[in-house]
Amino acid sequence: MNHPNWTEADSRSAKRIWAEYQKQHDISDRIGQTAGIDPKSKRIWFGDSAIEIVEHRRAEGLTSPLLFERVGYAAYLWKGGRQ
């Protein structure tokens, strides 16, 4: 199944949805988990990893692209070595 390309507008929308969700919900018990945000449906899924969320959604027949955030962190993934 083909999906339309992810756009900057999708990223902005998903980040707005995530920011609003955090204002309305106490997510302190989810620190370190992954959040998958769908900018089209405005739904958010939580799991231990992006792969877990994708597999759960696939089992439900959902395949739309998501923006992933690590709860409580500024970035989902850090790349690079330590010196």
Side-chain angles (χ1 to χ4, degrees), residues 35-51:
I37 304 108
D38 183 340
K40 305 293 190 221
S41 71
K42 299 182 180 179
R43 289 181 62 190
I44 299 173
W45 289 264
F46 291 95
D48 290 330
S49 69
I51 292 170

Side-chain angles (χ1 to χ4, degrees), residues 27-79:
I27 57 171
S28 58
D29 62 333
R30 296 189 179 272
I31 300 293
Q33 285 188 338
T34 298
I37 304 108
D38 183 340
K40 305 293 190 221
S41 71
K42 299 182 180 179
R43 289 181 62 190
I44 299 173
W45 289 264
F46 291 95
D48 290 330
S49 69
I51 292 170
E52 180 182 302
I53 292 170
V54 168
E55 288 174 351
H56 177 79
R57 292 179 75 241
R58 191 173 292 146
E60 293 180 11
L62 302 171
T63 59
S64 57
L66 301 175
L67 175 78
F68 292 102
E69 295 282 349
R70 179 79 60 205
V71 179
Y73 292 83
Y76 180 76
L77 179 69
W78 287 272
K79 186 176 180 180

